[in-house]
Structure formats: structure tokens, C-alpha cells
Amino acid sequence: MLDALKDVIRKSSIHVCLINTGGCNGCDIEVVALLSPRYDLEQYGIYVHNNPREADVILVAGAVTEQWREKLQRIYSKVPEPKIVVAIGNCPLSGDVFNQEGSSVYAPVSDFIPVDAEVSGCPPRPSEILAAILAVGPDAIAARGRQKV
Amino acid sequence: MILPIGPIHPSLKEPLRLKLKTRGEKVLTAEIDYGYVHRGIERIMKGKTWQKGIYLSERVCGICSYIHTQTFAETFERIAGERAPLRAQFLRVLTNELDRIQSHLLANSTYFKALEHETLFMYMLYLREPVMDAIELLTGNRVNMGWNVVGGVRMDVNQSHLDSIMKILLKLESEYDRYVEMFEHGPLVGLRSHDVGKLSRDDAIKARAVGPIGRASGLKHDLRENHHTYRDNLDLKVIWRKEGDNFARTMNRFDEITQSINLIKEVIANLPEGDIRKKIDIPAGYGDWRNEAPRGEVSYFIETNGNLIKDVSIRTPSIMNIDACAKYMLNDVATVADAIATYASVDPCIACTERVIIVDESGKSQEFDYPNYPKKNK
């Protein structure tokens, strides 16, 4: 009974932290576009606040640069359980155009932290990012929350 | 007390570390750390053909991605001593101004978010989405458009698309004034913006401030005035202000959006017929070109051997503007909240700014050539 109630609440309040680990910030502005009245992120109970200590979902955008190699893991460990990671854009998946000889990126992100969902595209459309968060977000958060309790 | 903000923080959109030296609520000085999104684009670009380089140049920055490809293409056109066909030049202006509108709307929305004025923040994003539709209609993508090639643009536009873009702009124009008035005459938003984050004309020259930030401080400098397409075919007056505070910077962007709408109308009315692309044979040589990005002046310096890029250097506007903000605007700010708002009013774009240059004491600068750069750990 209590678990079921917690599930309902967890599913309808998803806090998102966006981390740009070294991309072109094209994905960042698509996440900002999600806040606009057309997509209206908050009607799904998703709230973007960029604070890792309160987040349920981490959005990673960008190939991992030198500075982020350790900081990304540190930020990941600061996020409370249950947590899920969504990699948006081609950069966290493969490094995109930056992953060439002589560059200073260390893609993919999955070498550093576990990734739950991947959205490809350079950048993906806002609706795709929203669909990805909604596809893995609520159920995984609820399920992992039950495991810990 | 030192108050560190970032690299991941609710008030920042992009990774950057702000160190504010505070006494109580008062901010005394500020320091900025970069380096979180340094990817080494200039280094990757060396030894590639322009067909590969143009994709990299587009991904220097995601918000003003368009102007980077245009400048890249025009640098090569300058090396060859040729210009794109007139229709291509007009289409470039059309896309550039659409990109400027969406970038300025985003910049102002971020400023209103920093002021915690959620209503105007939402209205700005509401105005921005149709402009993104117009860009998608024209080029096929919302952010990284891939629209420019050396010698012209990638594809032609037909009349029905132009009509739709015109319809979107007319709707934007009819709704737009209301929101500008909300900001211009709103007592609360005005109080938070007037006389905050002052940058005087002398300081703007010292800090090399460019774009809307320099123009709001009285520097009458807009590179579009000297660009051949604007100079020969279009009517452009430089918009500038004297106050140099947050209000002036935001209003300068609003006025430039109005100007961009008028320029697009002029382009659509006078769009000439003809080719959109011509073949250009690139000789070996060196060329540089500058253009007005939404945030100011972006320069490309390229050396080529006729086929491959031998050397490339990119100078983007945000680095000067962020330094102007850190050094001159964030001195003796009344509250930390004002410091954040001032920082947002500069429209910082971190992905642009990440370059490594070593300047030694004699003033000679050289590019960092990665002497013992760590190898990949694979």
C-alpha cells in the first residue's frame, strides 16, 4: 500500500539535472526549448533545475572532455538513489564529430557512468528527448525506489 | 568570503565556474574559470578538407551555429577571390537573421529566468518556437543546419516556404510589441535592470566588448555594415545605446530583433532569381573573414594548400564579453542575485569560448601545441 503510493508520487515528480560534458550546447538549448509552452515539460511532472543533489534523472549532453572525466563520476555519486541517466545527442554515444585523432574528448559516456537510455541525433528533437525521459523515467525510478526500500 | 558557482548549478545553463568574492550580500570581485567544454576543434580541423571542416565549424557553438559555417565558407571564398551568387547571398542573410532572432529571444529569456521573472521567460520561449519552425522549414533542421557550402548554399527555397516564413514573422511582429512593453515599462523588471551591471564606454573598449554588449555601452560597431551583401543591397542602421546597464543590453537585443524582421522582409521582397551555388577552385593561400554573430564578432583565419586546411584559428565573441563581465560589470554589485542577472545579461556562450592560447610576458601569443598531452586511455 505504502509502496504503491510512493510509486504514484515518484512517477509524477521527476527532477532533472542537465550536465553538458563538452558538446556544442545545441542539445542544451533543445532542453530549454522543452520548457516552452509548446512542449510544456512540467505537465508531465518533470522539472529541470540543474541541481544534482535533488535529481532523479541526469541528462548527459556532450562528449566527455578532460575536465569532466572525474567530475562526472563525482556528480553521479552525489545524485540520490533511485537515479537514471539519459544520454542525449550523438556526443555522449560516440563523440560525434569531435571523436577524431588529436581531439581531447573521451566518449562514450558509458565508460564513466551507467547509461539507461540513449537518444541519437545532432541534436535530437525536443519531442524525442521528452519521449526518452518519459519512456525510462517513471517506471525505472519507481522500480529502483522499491528495491532500496 | 569566496562564493563558488558552478560548473553545474541551477542558475547556469552551461558549465563554467564563477568565483564571487563577497562581503555579506555584496559582491566585490569576480573570477571566471573556463575549460569544461574544450574539445580541440581547431586541432581536429587541421589536415581536413573543407567539406569535413565545415561540419566541425558548425559545432563550435550550438546557438549561433549558422554564422560559423557562413564565415568558414566566406573565408574560403575570399581565398579564391570569388563571391557566392547573389541569390545565395540573400538566402544566407535570410537564415542569418532568423538565427539572430531565435538567439536573441533565447538570450533575453535566460536573462528573465535569472531575474526570476517566469512569465516573460515563458513568453520569450513561446515567441521563439515559431521562429525555430521557420528555420526548420528553410533548412531542414532546427539547430545544426548544414546550410552553407563554399560557393553558395545547399538547397533552394520555393515560394510557398517563403510565404510561410513571412506569415510566421508577421504573427511574431504583431505579438512582439506587447512583451517588449512589459519589459520596458514594467516597474519591477525595470527596477531590477536599470543601473545594474554598468559597463562604461571606456571599459568596453578596454575589454574589447563586442556585439549587443558593446553596442549597449555606446560602441557603434556592427560588422554587418561592412559586409558586402548588407552594404550593397539592404538597408541597415546600427542600433546602439548609451547606458551600458542590463536594461540597455536587453533592449538592444529587442531592437535588433525588430531590425532583423525588417531585413528578412526586405530580403524576401527582393530575392533575385539565379543560381544558388557555383563551383569555386580553391588555390593555396591564407585568408581571414569576420562576420557579425548574434553575440558579436566571429573571425576565421584559415591557411590552406588548395585542398586541405593547413592551419585554422577561430575567434569568437563570447570570450571578450565574458571577460568584460567578470572584470568591469561584477565590481561592487549590490547583491549576489544582481550578479547572476548581470552575468546572464551578457548572453554567455561557453561552448564558443574554449580555446587554448598561451600569451607570454612579451605579449607574443602562440597556440598551445599539446607538448605532453595525455593519450587516450583506451
Side-chain angles (χ1 to χ4, degrees), chain A residues 39-101:
Chain A
Y39 298 102
D40 195 12
L41 201 65
E42 296 188 5
Q43 69 177 309
Y44 303 101
I46 302 174
Y47 180 51
V48 180
H49 55 46
N50 285 11
N51 185 354
R53 287 181 198 278
E54 295 174 21
D56 301 309
V57 175
I58 315 175
L59 294 182
V60 185
V64 183
T65 55
E66 185 65 35
Q67 290 252 13
W68 279 108
R69 289 168 68 192
E70 286 164 18
K71 292 192 179 89
L72 186 61
Q73 282 159 341
R74 251 159 58 199
I75 286 180
Y76 181 76
S77 65
K78 278 176 190 169
V79 179
E81 294 284 343
K83 56 193 166 192
I84 62 168
V85 178
V86 180
I88 51 174
N90 284 346
C91 290
L93 308 189
S94 65
D96 204 2
V97 288
F98 307 124
N99 196 0
Q100 298 185 33
E101 200 178 333

Side-chain angles (χ1 to χ4, degrees), chain A residues 20 22-25 28 30 33 35 38 49-50 65 67-69 97 99-100 102-105 107 122 125, chain B residues 10 12-15 35-39 43-44 48 59 62-63 122 129 133 136 142 373 376-378:
Chain A
N20 180 352
C24 70
N25 78 32
D28 296 21
E30 292 298 70
L35 301 172
R38 176 180 292 181
H49 55 46
N50 285 11
T65 55
Q67 290 252 13
W68 279 108
R69 289 168 68 192
V97 288
N99 196 0
Q100 298 185 33
S103 74
S104 53
V105 300
C122 185
R125 298 181 67 81
Chain B
L12 300 179
K13 286 278 165 289
E14 289 174 74
Y36 292 93
V37 282
H38 175 73
R39 294 144 290 173
R43 191 176 159 85
I44 312 172
K48 298 245 184 325
R59 283 157 182 82
I63 309 178
M122 284 295 174
E129 278 305 311
D133 285 350
E136 192 178 358
R142 282 166 60 94
Y373 206 75
K376 291 203 168 191
N377 58 347
K378 288 194 178 161

Side-chain angles (χ1 to χ4, degrees), chain B residues 26-40:
Chain B
K26 201 172 156 70
V27 177
L28 302 175
T29 54
E31 202 181 306
I32 286 180
D33 270 5
Y34 304 103
Y36 292 93
V37 282
H38 175 73
R39 294 144 290 173

Side-chain angles (χ1 to χ4, degrees), chain B residues 19 50 56 90 102 106 109 199 210 216 218 242 261 353 355:
Chain B
K19 284 182 202 154
W50 70 259
L56 282 162
F90 268 65
Q102 66 89 5
L106 186 77
S109 76
L199 178 70
V210 287
K242 283 181 184 164
I261 294 173
T353 62
R355 307 268 153 268

Side-chain angles (χ1 to χ4, degrees), chain B residues 2-99:
Chain B
I2 305 281
L3 175 68
I5 296 177
I8 293 296
H9 190 269
S11 67
L12 300 179
K13 286 278 165 289
E14 289 174 74
L16 172 110
R17 198 172 181 85
L18 264 174
K19 284 182 202 154
L20 303 177
K21 196 176 173 196
T22 56
R23 182 180 296 142
E25 181 74 344
K26 201 172 156 70
V27 177
L28 302 175
T29 54
E31 202 181 306
I32 286 180
D33 270 5
Y34 304 103
Y36 292 93
V37 282
H38 175 73
R39 294 144 290 173
I41 287 183
E42 288 172 2
R43 191 176 159 85
I44 312 172
M45 224 188 255
K46 278 177 204 166
K48 298 245 184 325
T49 53
W50 70 259
Q51 285 91 339
K52 283 189 174 173
I54 204 158
Y55 290 109
L56 282 162
S57 82
E58 185 153 41
R59 283 157 182 82
V60 171
C61 170
I63 309 178
C64 38
S65 61
Y66 172 75
I67 195 75
H68 280 275
T69 55
Q70 186 183 334
T71 319
F72 185 92
E74 283 178 346
T75 314
F76 273 101
E77 283 159 22
R78 185 172 183 195
I79 292 172
E82 297 201 47
R83 278 181 189 169
L86 198 60
R87 187 176 172 90
Q89 289 182 26
F90 268 65
L91 288 176
R92 280 178 178 174
V93 170
L94 175 59
T95 326
N96 188 9
E97 296 306 322
L98 280 173
D99 196 47

